[in-house]
Every structure is written in structure tokens, then in C-alpha cells.
Amino acid sequence: MPNLLLELRSEEIPARMQRKAAGDLKKLVTDALVEAGLSYEGAREYWTPRRLALDIHGLTARSADVREERKGPRTDANEKAIEGFLRGAGLSSVSEAQVVSDPKKGDFYVAVISKPGRATEEIVSDIMPGIIRDFPWPKSMRWGKASSKPGALRWVRPLQSIVCTFGPEHEETTVIPFEIDGITASNITYGHRFHAPEAITVRRFDDYAANLEKAKVILDAERRKDIILHDARDIAFANGLELVEDEGLLEEVSGLVELPQVLMGSFEEDYLSIPSEIIRLTIKTNQKCFVTRASGSETLSNKFILVSNIQASDGGKEIVHGNGKVVRARLSDALHFWKRDQGNLPDLDTLTASAAKFGLDINKPLDQRMAKLDALNVTFHAKLGTQGARVARIRTLAKELADITGADAALIDRAAVLAKADLRTEAVGEFPELQGLMGRKYAVLQGENASVAAAIEDHYKPQGPSDRVPEDRVAITIALADKLDTLIGFWGIDEKPTGSKDPFALRRAALGVVRILLERRIRLPLLETTRDGDLLSFFHDRLKVYLRDQGARHDLIDAVLTPDADDLLMVARRVEALTAFITSEDGKNLLAGTKRATQLLAAEEKKGTVIADGVSQALLKLDAEKELFTAISSASKDASDAVAGEDFRSAMEALSKLRGPVDRFFEEVLVNDEDAAIRANRLALLRLIREATGTVADFSKISG
């Protein structure tokens, strides 16, 4: 079977776009080939900073012939209908159509349309210009003389050449020479920009990849990542250190080089007085370098790892020297930020009113930054006011939550007024991702209580499904207040997530609340706190996502979760107990009996059948129905008492005693008795089954 090789070579593609672009190319091409009637055995995409490549193997040489019968109107239909049919079928007259007789519908026209298969080369030549022209880059550009013309080709960076070859695995291949904006596909590519810029003639993927490797280009991005990671580990180990690994940085760096060369640089140890997080971010953000630390230690060393794209004749000394100069300059700036943030602001006299408003100590640097944040009237959101106003709301809400979380009220208040103070520090201004963490460090430096310092960092958490949840009660309280204020505020101005759009990360905030409540076992009446049923429904959606991720069945969640359930911890505990019960033998059998009872009852209710208001013991004629009535009376009370005591497992155990009586009832009792009074009484008995199990869950929503 023939193989297709495709390469689109350009100026450097931004690293963050490469992986997705290669995947997009694979999908667009293979989808178009299949739509054109071709099939293939496999396809794999590749990428480097300067090229996207696609290897499709086992591709059919041509598409199959297609014969299609298209049914038309009756032969006695009006002229316009027949003309429309002929036009759609590509026929010039009715003489080219067949007439088919149907005993019931009469005679009607049928067009037999035959489409001969097409050569794969022709199909590829047709589809590729459109795929390239309409490629979904997040950002693209035009270039050269043609850029001024309407409809000029746009690409992420100037497109320089295209390779497109097709042919059997062990025979000569042919070039499919399609053209787009003056670039014609060929079998010519180019190697490393500096080490091997000469033209390379290729035939198929195997020699393409091998020739590129000779030309100092490692095509496989995963292999480049592996080389970088292992060489970085080795060079760190050789220097008595260990690499601080960073998957995101590794992915980015592998997209910056075609020939990774791992080197080690250094900076003065004096800079290690800067917090490790700042050092790491400075070196990562500005120089795309990795940091190292002493083996088994959290303290960084003054050695960093850089990745070059050049095999330097001096072993990389000049490259290391140049990177070191830039790193030292950046660290010098970072040290300046770190020291300035610990000093007094120059305009303290303008901050007294704001300091008084929040009870701040104007002699402390972090307090000054909070006062400055308020005095500047920094906007949080146009419709939700300033950051200062938001801090005031969080402060009030946190005070209300203190009784629920059991945290110290004074510490909560102090943490609330300092939580956003580091937004006015120079370190956070340079590295916004350090907000919270820097606040904690500055709080410790000015002698704040450990719980207050922890809350300043942790009130942003959790920021994703894998992020940790706050542990300290003060931090838990501020984290809840922060997220609830965000959600209440944006719901109040009708700025809710729609579809995939969630610009204010409200789903993340709600999931954060859910995780805190469940993982820290906090009972919080959300409806009372938020006063918004629609927002409660939003929490329910996030709760479902969380519980399903934890392995809970969606039907069991639906069986427990009622529209007004605002104690999410209790919902989760009910789901946990129901899951254990429904997978037991008693649970399975009771479910079957209960569903039978509720379905029969629902059918009779729909028909308007009379159901007694209550069960009359005098009308219980058979032992099986008497036994069931007694069992329901006992189990219902025991289950209700257990639910009231929030002992859901005991509630399930109480219900499990109904299994035998329910089974016997359906075996021995005919519900639809000829006597209307007995029938109505037995239906009332079924209603008692529904009500008894309903104290724990809506069994009708459970599948199985």
C-alpha cells in the first residue's frame, strides 16, 4: 500500500502552538481523504520549531467507483418537480433516467449516478491548498509582495516550502506538485538552519526522518523532550545536584530547538537570598531555563540548566556566558523588587484614611500595600466596584462564616484585610502567578500569626482539580468567602458561564467551594448564604462533576440530589451510603421491588385510579400485605430517625428489612383486586413503600 509524506516548513512556529497544529494537520488531512473515499492504515504527526510533518501509511491508491440510485418524483408529477430532479441528479433529460413501477405508488423516476474513482494524487492535489489556506492558527500573518493582495495566504510565520510525496514503501515515489501562493510542493526540504542549511531530497518518511537527523534535526518532539530531560538530569547529577523538573517548561523548550544541546550556567550565590519561587520564575520566564537544587533539598542552588539549538565549537562556553549575564541581570531586578516590597511606601501620609477603614497598621509594609490598593481605587470589575470594596465584602462574609468553620474571629478579620495586599507589591506586579504566595512571605516577615500568613496564600486554593485544599480553619474561611463573593457578585450582575466560555473562572470557583466543603467536611447552607436558587443549581452541577470524578454513579447522585439541597456535604454522604447499599444483595432486590411498586403506582395515578388516603388495617386480608404494612411502619420510622441523626448507613440498613416483605407481597398479592376498596388500599400500601424509601433517595431514578 502506498504512503503519503507531507511537510510544511516555515519560519519558527511559537512553541505553544506546535503540538496542537500538528494534530490539526493530521485531522484535517485524514478527514478530507476519508471523505473523498480513501482509506489508510495509520497516520502520525511530527513537529519541530520550523516544520509540521505528517506520515500517512497504507493509503489506498485511488478511491472506489461509486454507483448511487437517486429516487425522483412520479412520472406524472408537475414539470418543475421533474426539472428539479434532473438538475440535482445531473441529467439532461428524462430519457437518461429509469422508470420504476411500484404497485402502491405508481411509476416514478430513478437516476442511476455513477462516479468513477479518482487517483489519490488527484485527491491530495485538490484538498491540500484549501487545508493550508484555511488552517486554524490562533494567530497568523501575511508576508512579502503578495501580502497586499486580497485573499493572500496567511500562516503562523512565513511558509517557505512544502514536501508532498506519494508511493509504495519499496519503490520510487512521485511528487504531488500542488501550488499555493507561488509555493509548489516538491521533494525538497532543508535541515538545521545553522548546521545544515543545504537542500535535501527525500522520497518517503523513513529516509526523510533519517536525512533530517543527519542534517541535525530531530523530528520527533517526544524524543527531543526525552533528550533534554535526561541530559539535564545527568549534568545536574554530575555536579552533585538534582534538576527541578517542570513539564510545561520542558514542552516549551523542546519546541524551541531542533537539535537540543543541554548546558549548565551559574549565578552569584548572593542572589539565593531571593525566595526560590521568584528565582525559578525569573529564570524560567525570561530565559526558558531550568533551576537545580541540592539533592533532597528544597533550597535552590546557583546553577541553572539551559538548552541551546547549536553545537558550539567551544563546547558552549560563550552561550553559557551570555545566558548567565541575562540571568544575573534579571535576578538583580528581582532582588530589587524583593527588598523594596519590605520597605515603606513613599506616600504614607495619603494612606491614613484607607488604613483606618480596614484597621491596618500603617507601620507594616504589607498593611501599607493594602491601604495603597484601596486608596488607588483599583477596579476589580466595572460592575462590582474596586478591590477595596471587594475586600470589605470578603471581610464581612468571612465573619459570618466563622461560626460554621470554627475559626478564630480576630485571625479571620486580619487575614481578610491582608489577603489581597500583595497585589500592590512589585514582586507580584512582575510575576502575577505569585499572588498569595508572596503575601504569605511578606506576612511572615512582619510577624503575622501563622494562620493569617497561611490564609493569605491558601485563600486562592484550590485552583484546579489537582490543587490542594486549604487545611487551616482561617484559610478555609477566607477561601470560602473569596470564592462565594466572586460567585454571588457575578451572578448578581448576570455574568454567568455560557457553553465553553467562562472568562471569570466561575466554574473553578464553584468547584473550589465544593471541594473545600466535602474534603474538609464543612456543613454550609449554601442557599441561605447565597440567597440565589439559580446559583445553588450551578453548585449542584459542579458537585455532580466532582462526585462522578470520584467514581459515583450519575443515577445515584440524581436519586439523592433534590433542587433545594444546599448542604453539599450531606448530599455526598447520602450518595456514599446509597452506593454501598445499592451494590449489596439486599439493595439490589429492594431496588427491584421498589421500582416495581413505584412504576405500578405511577401508572395507576396517571390513569386516575382511586388510591386510599391511608392504609386501612381492616382491609388487609392477606398475611403478605399485613406483614408488609408492619415492616413499612417499622422501617420507615427507623430510617427517618437515622436520617434525622445523619446516620445514612443505618437508614439503609433499616430499609433493607423491607426486602423480604416486598418480595413476598408481589409474589402472593394481586394489587388490582376486583374489590375497589381493597385495590385502593393496596395501592396506598405501594405508596408507603415509595414514601419509606424516599426518606433516603428517589429510587425511581436509579437504573437497574
Side-chain angles (χ1 to χ4, degrees):
M1 297 282 281
N3 301 330
L4 177 69
L5 168 64
L6 179 71
E7 181 200 66
L8 305 175
R9 190 179 63 88
S10 67
E11 293 290 337
E12 275 70 10
I13 305 167
R16 68 184 183 279
M17 299 183 187
Q18 292 168 19
R19 183 180 291 272
K20 183 179 184 303
D24 287 342
L25 180 64
K26 174 183 172 182
K27 186 176 189 310
L28 289 168
V29 173
T30 55
D31 283 357
L33 293 174
V34 170
E35 187 177 345
L38 299 174
S39 63
Y40 63 97
E41 293 177 359
R44 184 177 173 187
E45 71 275 29
Y46 297 85
W47 63 93
T48 78
R50 300 176 61 219
R51 67 199 80 223
L52 303 179
L54 185 58
D55 171 31
I56 302 178
H57 54 273
L59 185 62
T60 46
R62 63 182 295 109
S63 61
D65 297 340
V66 176
R67 185 178 185 277
E68 175 191 352
E69 290 189 0
R70 185 175 300 178
K71 186 177 178 181
R74 285 166 52 101
T75 55
D76 57 357
N78 64 64
E79 191 174 333
K80 286 190 176 180
I82 294 174
E83 287 178 357
F85 160 66
L86 294 174
R87 193 165 48 248
L91 304 182
S92 57
S93 70
V94 291
S95 64
E96 297 178 3
Q98 296 180 2
V99 177
V100 177
S101 296
D102 186 303
K104 295 181 179 179
K105 299 180 181 179
D107 294 345
F108 57 89
Y109 291 116
V110 171
V112 178
I113 304 171
S114 296
K115 295 181 180 178
R118 301 168 66 203
T120 297
E121 294 94 322
E122 182 184 344
I123 293 172
V124 171
S125 183
D126 280 352
I127 66 172
M128 283 311 305
I131 289 174
I132 294 172
R133 191 173 292 281
D134 299 328
F135 200 81
W137 292 109
K139 290 184 178 180
S140 57
M141 62 180 289
R142 294 177 295 180
W143 63 93
K145 293 180 179 179
S147 63
S148 60
K149 299 177 182 177
L153 174 65
R154 299 185 68 92
W155 198 247
V156 63
R157 294 292 184 270
L159 189 61
Q160 296 177 326
S161 68
I162 301 171
V163 168
C164 189
T165 65
F166 180 68
E169 188 173 355
H170 301 296
E171 298 176 20
E172 278 305 313
T173 58
T174 60
V175 172
I176 304 178
F178 63 86
E179 185 269 341
I180 180 167
D181 272 31
I183 302 173
T184 301
S186 69
N187 60 353
I188 303 296
T189 189
Y190 297 84
H192 192 283
R193 180 188 293 278
F194 305 112
H195 292 304
E198 301 83 11
I200 302 170
T201 302
V202 299
R203 291 175 296 173
R204 56 182 59 85
F205 179 77
D206 288 345
D207 71 283
Y208 164 75
N211 284 331
L212 280 181
E213 185 123 355
K214 292 176 185 175
K216 309 298 185 182
V217 173
I218 296 173
L219 183 64
D220 188 341
E222 295 304 324
R223 189 168 153 230
R224 294 198 304 276
K225 286 175 67 173
D226 192 61
I227 290 170
I228 293 168
L229 180 60
H230 285 87
D231 285 0
R233 285 173 177 169
D234 290 347
I235 197 172
F237 181 77
N239 284 270
L241 303 167
E242 66 179 19
L243 177 71
V244 178
E245 297 186 15
D246 186 325
E247 176 59 30
L249 180 58
L250 180 61
E251 173 81 8
E252 183 177 11
V253 171
S254 72
L256 297 175
V257 296
E258 291 191 318
L259 181 68
Q261 303 293 303
V262 179
L263 304 167
M264 176 174 276
S266 65
F267 54 86
E268 287 74 14
E269 291 189 357
D270 291 350
Y271 289 121
L272 294 177
S273 63
I274 307 169
S276 295
E277 296 83 358
I278 295 181
I279 295 174
R280 184 176 178 180
L281 263 179
T282 298
I283 292 175
K284 171 183 176 178
T285 304
N286 295 303
Q287 286 304 103
K288 313 302 178 191
C289 295
F290 298 86
V291 293
T292 64
R293 61 191 169 206
S295 183
S297 171
E298 288 300 314
T299 304
L300 295 185
S301 80
N302 68 324
K303 307 287 187 182
F304 63 91
I305 302 289
L306 63 102
V307 182
S308 169
N309 192 36
I310 299 174
Q311 281 182 332
S313 58
D314 65 353
K317 291 180 181 178
E318 280 301 314
I319 295 172
V320 168
H321 176 70
N323 275 267
K325 285 177 63 177
V326 178
V327 165
R328 283 188 285 276
R330 297 295 188 181
L331 289 177
S332 178
D333 291 342
L335 182 60
H336 178 68
F337 299 149
W338 170 241
K339 289 181 177 178
R340 277 177 60 94
D341 286 339
Q342 297 173 55
N344 290 330
L345 292 172
D347 53 351
L348 292 182
D349 56 326
T350 66
L351 305 179
T352 53
S354 291
K357 184 193 303 185
F358 291 98
L360 298 165
D361 184 346
I362 204 69
N363 294 311
K364 294 183 175 181
L366 199 57
D367 293 58
Q368 294 173 21
R369 271 69 186 176
M370 177 57 219
K372 186 72 172 179
L373 184 70
D374 179 66
L376 289 174
N377 289 319
V378 176
T379 300
F380 168 62
H381 185 278
K383 295 181 181 179
L384 294 174
T386 65
Q387 287 282 9
R390 181 165 187 249
V391 169
R393 292 195 303 270
I394 292 173
R395 188 183 187 189
T396 300
L397 184 52
K399 184 178 180 181
E400 295 172 5
L401 295 173
D403 291 338
I404 294 171
T405 61
D408 181 275
L411 295 179
I412 284 176
D413 190 67
R414 182 64 175 161
V417 298
L418 291 180
K420 306 296 181 183
D422 68 355
L423 296 178
R424 288 304 306 167
T425 62
E426 294 194 39
V428 172
E430 181 72 9
F431 301 112
E433 54 267 69
L434 291 181
Q435 58 187 286
L437 187 147
M438 294 312 303
R440 179 177 192 161
K441 291 185 178 296
Y442 293 134
V444 169
L445 286 172
Q446 68 178 37
E448 298 296 332
N449 180 281
S451 291
V452 171
I456 294 172
E457 177 180 4
D458 289 356
H459 82 281
Y460 289 106
K461 298 184 177 298
Q463 296 198 53
S466 60
D467 195 14
R468 65 180 176 85
V469 171
E471 297 181 12
D472 184 278
R473 290 184 180 275
V474 176
I476 289 169
T477 309
I478 304 301
L480 286 172
D482 176 70
K483 292 167 180 59
L484 288 170
D485 174 74
T486 297
L487 290 159
I488 293 168
F490 282 106
W491 244 250
I493 61 173
D494 200 28
E495 287 279 3
K496 306 169 187 176
T498 56
S500 61
K501 295 181 179 178
D502 187 10
F504 303 110
L506 302 182
R507 291 189 182 95
R508 186 176 69 188
L511 182 59
V513 171
V514 169
R515 285 191 60 199
I516 291 172
L517 297 181
L518 270 54
E519 294 178 31
R520 296 296 174 247
R521 309 192 73 77
I522 294 172
R523 306 280 304 277
L524 175 63
L526 282 171
L527 192 57
E528 179 183 322
T529 304
T530 63
R531 299 177 178 84
D532 192 315
D534 184 56
L535 180 52
L536 179 61
S537 177
F538 186 68
F539 277 115
H540 285 177
D541 290 340
R542 296 303 98 199
L543 175 66
K544 290 178 182 178
V545 170
Y546 176 79
L547 291 177
R548 285 198 296 267
D549 287 346
Q550 298 298 306
R553 281 169 38 182
H554 69 88
D555 58 325
L556 302 188
I557 300 171
D558 290 340
V560 166
L561 190 58
T562 59
D564 59 348
D566 72 344
D567 186 340
L568 303 190
L569 179 60
M570 289 302 98
V571 171
R573 288 180 57 190
R574 281 176 181 259
V575 171
E576 181 183 2
L578 183 59
T579 299
F581 175 64
I582 217 68
T583 53
S584 70
E585 199 61 32
D586 281 346
K588 291 175 184 175
N589 288 316
L590 179 60
L591 173 62
T594 301
K595 288 179 79 70
R596 184 175 175 184
T598 55
Q599 287 168 357
L600 179 57
L601 185 61
E604 295 300 321
E605 288 173 333
K606 189 174 182 179
K607 291 190 292 187
T609 304
V610 174
I611 301 171
D613 292 334
V615 174
S616 169
Q617 290 184 265
L619 292 175
L620 299 175
K621 302 300 183 183
L622 302 177
D623 289 345
E625 56 185 335
K626 293 176 183 177
E627 180 190 355
L628 178 59
F629 177 71
T630 301
I632 290 175
S633 300
S634 174
S636 182
K637 181 181 183 305
D638 291 346
S640 295
D641 290 346
V643 169
E646 298 177 2
D647 185 354
F648 301 114
R649 289 190 178 274
S650 294
M652 299 295 176
E653 290 173 8
L655 291 179
S656 69
K657 297 173 183 177
L658 291 175
R659 172 194 167 180
V662 168
D663 288 348
R664 186 181 175 195
F665 177 83
F666 281 115
E667 288 171 3
E668 301 180 12
V669 178
L670 177 65
V671 174
N672 287 321
D673 194 89
E674 293 180 357
D675 187 316
I678 292 177
R679 181 170 65 249
N681 198 56
R682 287 174 178 171
L683 288 171
L685 197 55
L686 297 185
R687 186 162 59 193
L688 286 184
I689 296 175
R690 184 171 67 184
E691 291 171 355
T693 55
T695 59
V696 173
D698 184 348
F699 274 51
S700 68
K701 293 182 177 179
I702 303 175
S703 60

